[in-house]
Amino acid sequence: MILIMNNRKIITINSFMFFIIIAVITLLGNDSMLNSNVLPHIKAGSWMVENGKILSNDIFSYTMDGAKWINGNWLMQLIYGFLLKYFGLRGIVSFTAIIIALPFSLIFAYLGKTRANIYVSFLFVYIGCYVSMSQWVIIPFTINFLIITLFFIIIDSYYRYGGNKIYSLIILQILWQNLNSDFVFGYFILGIYIIGVILNSLLYENTLNDIDKTEKKRRVKIMIYVFGGLLLSILANPYGYKLISHTIYLYRDIFKFRLGEWRSANFHDFAKIFNYFFIFTLGILAFLKKKRVKMEYLLTILFWQYMFFFAQRHIAIYIIMVIITVPNMIDLEFFKFKWLKKTIEKIENSSENGLNNRNYYISPVFIVVIIASLFILNSEIEKRYKTEVWKKPLEGIEYLREYKILGKGIQEEMYGNLLIWEYPEMKVFIDNRTNLYSIDIMNDYGKIFDLGYGWEEQITKYDPNWIMMRSFTPLRKIYDNLKDNWVMVYDDTYTVIYLKKDYFNEWEKTLPKDEEEI
């Protein structure tokens, strides 16, 4: 059928065109890509590059100072540190642009291999790119987009076509568990797929001949063996089996008290409803298959839909799973327009006549050109982030440094990230490294800045010399009325800094004469 992507050359060119488009879009939005959350990870990576060993104890905070850090992101941080040393921030931005672009390119190419409808595939990948752009940021979690895509493609390709690539999952899992602490999703992806194909065999047993039944059973057995291999591979990391138990407890604790990216998706934000509508529409289309439902696909979609409901950080992964599965589950008549058939026929005819084997070598050239372009376009990124993106919060941090405000302080998470980056001598209260801080500290942080029950006791517990927050934080209104105990020394309409009265009296004596009037 002409609507099926049956020309390998078209698939190759189209997939790399997606690669180029996504890379360009990522570049256009890179002011939001490099948010402050990645800064502690880059700093940790720089420390590892300089010292030649894994950072296994906290050196950036006073709340966890010296505590053992089971760091599931250590390899990703090391990559960040290496890129920063030799290429600067533009190297990190360019690297992230590539790992964000690759999953969508691979998905489109794989849909071509599975002979999905080309228009359905294009529509799904295009919409998927659009609605997931809010998640295109530089944090270790972003590597999951690429690894999960590869993971599912390897599993699905093996069950469909056979071969030996299924064993590469063990190598990929070993790499994953050193790159990011969300490697546990590998067990869920393979386990859910196995359950799904077993359900398929029970529900649709009569649709397969004896030969197919035997081969499918053999492949399921091998997948179960590989699942066992994934479990054993947990030993191939610096922390051994402790990494998986730490990750499980981390998820349990974070789900009890969620901050930032761990919060549920905000369905009260009208601006996001449009995106969410598309997300759910794509998922619902999975049920429109005429003949039979692929249970391994449906269970996968339902699992990631649950994860998306539970924490907004999983939105992009849910979208990836939808666009890689649903196009193979639907066959919609309204995609079969005559003029589209004629257009595809022309494309296929021209590709058969005009392309030859040498054109396959164009693909690596595309990659080289893209990477070179990324570095060129990002050449001024260090300067722009200091003068534009982080300008306002950095001014408050510069005040801390210039006027030598020392000792323990309490600050919002964003300022913790920036302090580690710009002023590492200052130990922070908290930052974005959620795999380090205990649930008690995260709970205390939430109470303080959300004015939860007992917030005053939590501040007293840490006995800070100073407090740093954004001007519009609810806590600011309280501290403006506590002039007997706290003194505001800095306010630039974005950042406000208060000093405890006793500390202020001592600190004021260290100021030059012309600076004593605050």
Side-chain angles (χ1 to χ4, degrees):
M1 183 179 176
I2 201 69
L3 290 175
I4 301 299
M5 291 190 285
N6 55 8
N7 188 310
R8 292 181 65 86
K9 296 172 184 176
I10 291 178
I11 296 169
T12 302
I13 293 172
N14 280 332
S15 62
F16 279 101
M17 284 301 295
F18 263 105
F19 188 100
I20 294 170
I21 292 168
I22 304 299
V24 171
I25 292 174
T26 304
L27 279 170
L28 293 175
N30 63 15
D31 276 356
S32 60
M33 278 183 63
L34 189 55
N35 62 26
S36 67
N37 290 341
V38 74
L39 299 180
H41 299 286
I42 298 176
K43 206 69 175 181
S46 296
W47 187 94
M48 286 188 271
V49 170
E50 292 172 5
N51 292 274
K53 60 180 181 180
I54 297 173
L55 181 56
S56 55
N57 296 89
D58 179 45
I59 60 173
F60 299 126
S61 76
Y62 70 84
T63 48
M64 297 292 290
D65 190 24
K68 186 173 179 60
W69 184 13
I70 299 181
N71 183 10
N73 302 316
W74 75 268
L75 184 54
M76 197 67 182
Q77 293 168 352
L78 185 63
I79 293 171
Y80 287 153
F82 174 84
L83 291 172
L84 182 70
K85 181 176 181 179
Y86 294 102
F87 305 104
L89 285 177
R90 64 175 177 171
I92 296 173
V93 173
S94 302
F95 170 73
T96 305
I98 291 169
I99 64 174
I100 290 173
L102 271 174
F104 295 97
S105 175
L106 291 170
I107 289 170
F108 193 72
Y110 183 66
L111 290 174
K113 180 181 179 180
T114 60
R115 302 178 66 79
N117 182 296
I118 186 171
Y119 305 120
V120 174
S121 301
F122 182 88
L123 180 65
F124 271 59
V125 176
Y126 179 81
I127 294 176
C129 291
Y130 171 73
V131 297
S132 65
M133 284 183 68
S134 63
Q135 304 292 308
W136 293 3
V137 294
I138 304 174
I139 50 174
F141 181 78
T142 307
I143 193 66
N144 292 318
F145 303 166
L146 177 58
I147 295 179
I148 286 174
T149 299
L150 288 170
F151 222 85
F152 190 85
I153 286 176
I154 291 170
I155 296 169
D156 194 56
S157 179
Y158 170 74
Y159 187 69
R160 282 171 172 268
Y161 311 113
N164 296 316
K165 291 182 180 179
I166 188 71
Y167 298 108
S168 64
L169 287 182
I170 297 175
I171 298 173
L172 187 60
Q173 182 74 7
I174 291 173
L175 183 64
W176 193 358
Q177 66 196 18
N178 289 283
L179 284 168
N180 189 260
S181 54
D182 290 289
F183 70 93
V184 292
F185 286 136
Y187 306 129
F188 286 99
I189 294 170
L190 181 55
I192 289 170
Y193 197 98
I194 291 171
I195 293 171
V197 295
I198 291 174
L199 287 175
N200 272 342
S201 65
L202 296 174
L203 294 172
Y204 309 112
E205 186 176 6
N206 297 329
T207 60
L208 297 175
N209 58 46
D210 292 338
I211 297 176
D212 286 341
K213 286 180 184 179
T214 302
E215 178 59 23
K216 294 294 185 183
K217 287 180 180 179
R218 186 187 70 83
R219 292 176 187 175
V220 171
K221 286 182 180 179
I222 290 177
M223 285 195 289
I224 294 173
Y225 296 150
V226 170
F227 185 87
L230 298 187
L231 293 175
L232 292 175
S233 71
I234 189 60
L235 299 175
N237 72 82
Y239 312 103
Y241 70 90
K242 292 181 180 179
L243 180 62
I244 191 167
S245 59
H246 174 76
T247 303
I248 291 171
Y249 284 121
L250 173 68
Y251 266 82
R252 182 200 65 182
D253 290 343
I254 288 178
F255 283 172
K256 286 181 181 177
F257 188 84
R258 289 172 279 166
L259 298 170
E261 62 183 344
W262 291 94
R263 295 184 188 275
S264 298
N266 182 9
F267 293 97
H268 298 286
D269 186 347
F270 185 78
K272 294 180 179 179
I273 292 177
F274 180 74
N275 288 354
Y276 294 153
F277 171 77
F278 270 115
I279 293 172
F280 295 130
T281 300
L282 296 183
I284 290 169
L285 286 173
F287 295 89
L288 301 181
K289 179 71 179 177
K290 292 180 179 179
K291 295 181 181 179
R292 67 186 181 96
V293 173
K294 290 179 176 290
M295 294 303 299
E296 63 272 26
Y297 286 3
L298 274 186
L299 292 179
T300 296
I301 291 172
L302 291 174
F303 171 78
W304 286 106
Q305 191 172 69
Y306 170 78
M307 295 304 296
F308 156 52
F309 282 143
F310 217 84
Q312 58 187 349
R313 75 198 304 252
H314 299 122
I315 291 175
I317 298 177
Y318 169 68
I319 293 168
I320 285 171
M321 284 303 183
V322 167
I323 64 179
I324 202 173
T325 56
V326 176
N328 279 304
M329 301 174 68
I330 61 178
D331 186 16
L332 304 178
E333 294 295 330
F334 56 80
F335 282 100
K336 302 177 182 178
F337 298 117
K338 290 183 179 180
W339 68 272
L340 289 177
K341 290 183 181 181
K342 292 180 180 179
T343 302
I344 280 295
E345 285 175 353
K346 290 179 181 179
I347 293 173
E348 288 190 337
N349 291 334
S350 63
S351 64
E352 291 294 343
N353 296 328
L355 294 176
N356 52 52
N357 290 333
R358 286 180 296 177
N359 290 97
Y360 286 108
Y361 296 101
I362 293 176
S363 298
V365 175
F366 280 162
I367 295 177
V368 172
V369 171
I370 291 167
I371 294 174
S373 301
L374 290 170
F375 275 86
I376 293 170
L377 292 171
N378 282 316
S379 60
E380 297 294 321
I381 198 164
E382 281 93 344
K383 180 179 178 181
R384 193 171 75 255
Y385 275 103
K386 283 200 172 185
T387 58
E388 298 176 22
V389 182
W390 296 331
K391 183 177 185 295
K392 296 305 292 184
L394 283 177
E395 288 175 353
I397 289 172
E398 183 56 34
Y399 184 89
L400 285 178
R401 178 159 49 188
E402 182 179 354
Y403 291 99
K404 295 181 174 56
I405 296 175
L406 304 172
K408 294 190 298 183
I410 290 178
Q411 87 296 314
E412 290 186 87
E413 178 189 300
M414 176 192 67
Y415 291 107
N417 300 332
L418 290 167
L419 279 166
I420 290 172
W421 179 255
E422 286 289 324
Y423 193 7
E425 299 84 7
M426 175 71 76
K427 299 282 187 177
V428 304
F429 171 61
I430 198 170
D431 60 87
N432 185 250
R433 296 171 297 157
T434 51
N435 62 349
L436 167 67
Y437 293 98
S438 68
I439 187 61
D440 291 334
I441 293 174
M442 289 190 287
N443 193 18
D444 292 344
Y445 170 76
K447 283 184 179 180
I448 290 171
F449 286 99
D450 290 338
L451 297 180
Y453 178 76
W455 65 271
E456 293 172 295
E457 289 80 2
Q458 302 308 322
I459 292 179
T460 303
K461 171 182 174 182
Y462 293 100
D463 190 26
N465 290 337
W466 52 273
I467 293 180
M468 186 179 197
M469 67 189 84
R470 288 169 295 174
S471 297
F472 51 84
T473 303
L475 185 64
R476 190 256 170 89
K477 296 180 180 179
I478 302 293
Y479 269 72
D480 280 345
N481 297 316
L482 297 178
K483 295 181 180 180
D484 292 339
N485 299 316
W486 294 86
V487 180
M488 183 177 69
V489 296
Y490 182 83
D491 184 5
D492 64 5
T493 71
Y494 185 89
T495 300
V496 60
I497 300 174
Y498 296 91
L499 299 188
K500 187 183 288 184
K501 188 75 172 181
D502 294 341
Y503 178 74
F504 171 79
N505 294 333
E506 295 297 321
W507 170 78
E508 192 177 28
K509 297 175 184 178
T510 66
L511 296 176
K513 292 293 183 181
D514 59 343
E515 296 287 352
E516 288 185 2
E517 292 297 326
I518 301 296

